[in-house]
Amino acid sequence: MTTAELLDEDGPDALAVGRRIRQLRAERGMTLDALAAAVGRAPSQLSMLENGRREPRLSMLRAIAKALGTGLDALLETEALDERAGLELAVERALRSPRLQSLGLEPFRISKSVPDHALRAILSLAAEVDRLHDERAATPEQARRANLELRRLMRRQHNYFAELEQHARDLLAAVGHPGGPLTQRAASDIAAHLGFTLHYAPDLPQTTRSVADLRHRRIYLPERVSGDPRTAVLQALASRVLGHAEPADYTEFLRQRVEQNYLAGALLIPEDHAVPFLREAKARRAISIEDLRDAYAVSYESAAHRFTNLATRHLDIAVHFLKVHESGTITKAYENDDVNFPTDRLGSIEGQLCCRRWTSRVVFDIDDRFNPYYQYTDTGNGTYWCTARVEHSSQGAHSVSVGVRFDDTKWFVGRDTPHRGVSRHAVETCCRRPPAELEAAWRDRAWPNAATPRTLLATLPTGSFPGVDTTEVYAFLQAHAPRA
């Protein structure tokens, strides 16, 4: 049997063996030099062995056991000789772990003068580091749970957050915004009011949308902004306005993202101006997401999101929102109108395939991309009406749709659409199972090569801000910091 076989994963490791050798030697009053002489090796070699830095050969272990007057089994025992030895061993293992070493902590020799309670404190801290790391390294299931809890909160509040609306109201008043579309100059005025200057950089880290230098009160943005440049500025400022600290877990990270996006939307489409606009449209039975988009010069998705914030609170209209990738995957969802979207076993909508007969999927097959697409869809929970549009991004095409129950359709432009569909979202045979004739013809004659999503088996990116390369961010800030 080799030493490697003796020191397998179920038995003692080299560090444990080294510690037992040291303790047995000390108990016998033998110096390191004396043991080295007895086995015919240099003291430095024995020192490395006792410190677990070298795996001993089996012949060496036998020689050491003989010199110490004990058997080979005594050196390979899995249990520590005493409680103190066990503590030292556990601390040394913790200090050598990749997780602690990644923090820049170097292992050190534990002398007898280090009290037991100090060793226990080190172990507790190491365990807490592991716990926080595991908590932040959210698995896809943990992320879905966090997202589900956040969506439930949004539903309870009808996706309306009064404190965020007040923040937006105060900021707009501070810069003298009269209402209506927020100009880029007004967005810059908000930054100046908060004590920040805006800087556009060609080398912004690719894992970020913006970077805030809190020391010098600077906001860095990419030179080439995809989408509305005002949104990038306002989202960057939102965390400062809301006093966000480093998120403690993935749930807090998601909540902060929602708050940032909400506040940016509330600044772009102010409640005090938008509500009268929407109420007047309801009185005319002419509510239109396109009109809201055009009135405030925002994207269709921004207008749709903002409508969900205000619809139930101010118009007494329950609503649902979907963003669906061209692959059919639901990427964002909100509902408080009892629409029955497909869910996984946890109740999460995001990540599920949208029914191909639902408006959000049908719209991809419509040639007319200039006008919105409207459709009534019969479901197990009643009939719903939706308006949808396709938008493009670096991640591909997405459809964005807003829908209401049949009884609320009377308030909307597009209610006279002739398009009809039938969908049973939660029923597999609705569209996720092929028709019987197709299945019979091809079941045993087809073999697709699946394009597996790269995130299917991977955990979410770790860190306080998942997916962000903090080393790259710090190097960027160092390079762009103003010189004294």
Side-chain angles (χ1 to χ4, degrees):
M1 181 180 293
T2 65
T3 306
E5 291 171 327
L6 286 170
L7 306 180
D8 63 12
E9 61 183 5
D10 296 319
D13 56 20
L15 182 60
V17 171
R19 287 297 172 271
R20 291 185 69 82
I21 292 173
R22 176 188 291 173
Q23 187 165 356
L24 288 170
R25 175 177 62 76
E27 287 178 354
R28 286 154 176 74
M30 184 180 291
T31 66
L32 184 65
D33 289 345
L35 180 59
V39 298
R41 292 291 189 273
S44 59
Q45 289 181 288
L46 266 292
S47 178
M48 292 183 67
L49 192 153
E50 287 190 351
N51 288 317
R53 299 186 182 280
R54 173 174 293 180
E55 184 178 296
R57 295 180 178 274
L58 187 55
S59 57
M60 172 69 78
L61 287 178
R62 286 176 174 149
I64 291 173
K66 182 177 180 181
L68 294 174
T70 187
L72 182 62
D73 290 343
L75 303 184
L76 300 177
E77 283 288 333
T78 57
E79 297 296 327
L81 290 175
D82 56 40
E83 183 180 1
R84 171 69 187 201
L87 278 174
E88 291 182 4
L89 185 60
V91 169
E92 290 210 33
R93 281 176 174 155
L95 291 173
R96 295 186 186 193
S97 69
R99 194 161 291 174
L100 287 191
Q101 291 198 20
S102 69
L103 300 177
L105 300 178
E106 293 294 333
F108 57 86
R109 186 178 184 281
I110 302 171
S111 66
K112 294 299 179 183
S113 62
V114 179
D116 290 1
H117 64 79
L119 297 181
R120 292 191 180 94
I122 293 173
L123 288 176
S124 296
L125 290 172
E128 182 66 5
V129 169
D130 286 341
R131 186 190 70 80
L132 289 173
H133 185 278
D134 292 338
E135 187 173 72
R136 292 178 178 181
T139 64
E141 179 170 320
Q142 290 169 323
R144 289 198 302 274
R145 288 183 187 276
N147 193 57
L148 178 60
E149 288 304 312
L150 184 57
R151 186 158 50 81
R152 286 172 176 167
L153 171 66
M154 295 163 68
R155 187 191 298 130
R156 288 195 299 271
Q157 299 188 182
H158 299 305
N159 206 21
Y160 179 86
F161 293 81
E163 66 278 13
L164 299 179
E165 299 287 353
Q166 188 59 49
H167 276 299
R169 192 174 293 111
D170 293 342
L171 285 172
L172 292 171
V175 299
H177 181 60
L182 188 78
T183 63
Q184 284 189 240
R185 175 176 292 181
S188 296
D189 289 344
I190 291 174
H193 169 71
L194 296 172
F196 284 90
T197 56
L198 303 179
H199 303 264
Y200 292 86
D203 56 340
L204 194 77
Q206 291 187 353
T207 56
T208 65
R209 294 185 292 183
S210 65
V211 175
D213 178 347
L214 303 182
R215 178 187 300 173
H216 302 103
R217 307 294 289 178
R218 289 179 159 207
I219 298 290
Y220 291 100
L221 300 153
E223 277 191 344
R224 297 182 180 179
V225 179
S226 59
D228 190 337
R230 298 168 302 167
T231 302
V233 172
L234 297 175
Q235 287 176 338
L237 293 169
S239 286
R240 303 302 96 218
V241 175
L242 299 174
H244 285 164
E246 182 177 303
D249 52 35
Y250 197 76
T251 300
E252 187 175 351
F253 171 76
L254 284 180
R255 175 64 182 264
Q256 289 181 358
R257 284 288 295 272
V258 168
E259 290 177 346
Q260 291 168 21
N261 292 335
Y262 191 111
L263 182 54
L267 290 166
L268 290 168
I269 307 178
E271 179 181 28
D272 293 345
H273 192 269
V275 169
F277 175 87
L278 290 171
R279 283 177 173 165
E280 191 272 336
K282 182 181 180 183
R284 292 187 292 108
R285 299 194 175 208
I287 296 175
S288 166
I289 306 301
E290 285 75 19
D291 288 350
L292 186 64
R293 173 199 64 187
D294 296 341
Y296 292 92
V298 296
S299 69
Y300 184 85
E301 182 176 352
S302 294
H305 268 299
R306 190 63 176 138
F307 183 74
T308 67
N309 299 149
L310 305 174
T312 306
R313 173 84 173 197
H314 294 290
L315 306 177
D316 196 30
I317 298 175
V319 66
H320 66 260
F321 167 93
L322 270 186
K323 184 175 181 180
V324 177
H325 188 258
E326 59 188 331
S327 64
T329 304
I330 298 173
T331 59
K332 291 183 182 178
Y334 166 76
E335 52 78 24
N336 68 347
D337 59 357
D338 298 322
V339 68
N340 187 19
F341 288 135
T343 63
D344 63 12
R345 62 183 181 83
L346 299 176
S348 179
I349 298 172
E350 289 80 2
Q352 298 300 298
L353 278 179
C354 180
C355 175
R356 66 178 66 252
R357 297 168 187 168
W358 193 254
T359 313
S360 305
R361 292 285 298 277
V362 176
V363 68
F364 285 108
D365 298 326
I366 304 301
D367 292 332
D368 181 3
R369 294 297 171 88
F370 183 78
N371 295 300
Y373 174 73
Y374 308 109
Q375 177 179 305
Y376 287 96
T377 308
D378 296 327
T379 77
N381 281 5
T383 299
Y384 290 84
W385 171 92
C386 298
T387 173
R389 182 177 287 280
V390 174
E391 293 189 327
H392 294 269
S393 70
S394 59
Q395 284 78 42
H398 287 82
S399 70
V400 176
S401 63
V402 174
V404 297
R405 291 181 292 227
F406 179 81
D407 290 344
D408 288 318
T409 307
K410 58 189 176 186
W411 310 118
F412 289 81
V413 171
R415 60 183 176 274
D416 56 350
T417 179
H419 300 124
R420 296 289 189 276
V422 177
S423 172
R424 299 291 185 264
H425 290 73
V427 180
E428 183 178 354
T429 53
C430 171
C431 67
R432 283 176 285 175
R433 287 282 301 276
E437 291 183 3
L438 278 177
E439 185 170 24
W442 291 103
R443 172 112 190 208
D444 298 325
R445 300 174 179 86
W447 189 268
N449 185 16
T452 307
R454 63 182 178 83
T455 57
L456 181 63
L457 302 178
T459 59
L460 291 170
T462 61
S464 300
F465 303 94
V468 172
D469 186 334
T470 51
T471 300
E472 189 178 21
V473 170
Y474 298 156
F476 169 84
L477 289 174
Q478 183 69 21
H480 286 268
R483 304 305 176 196

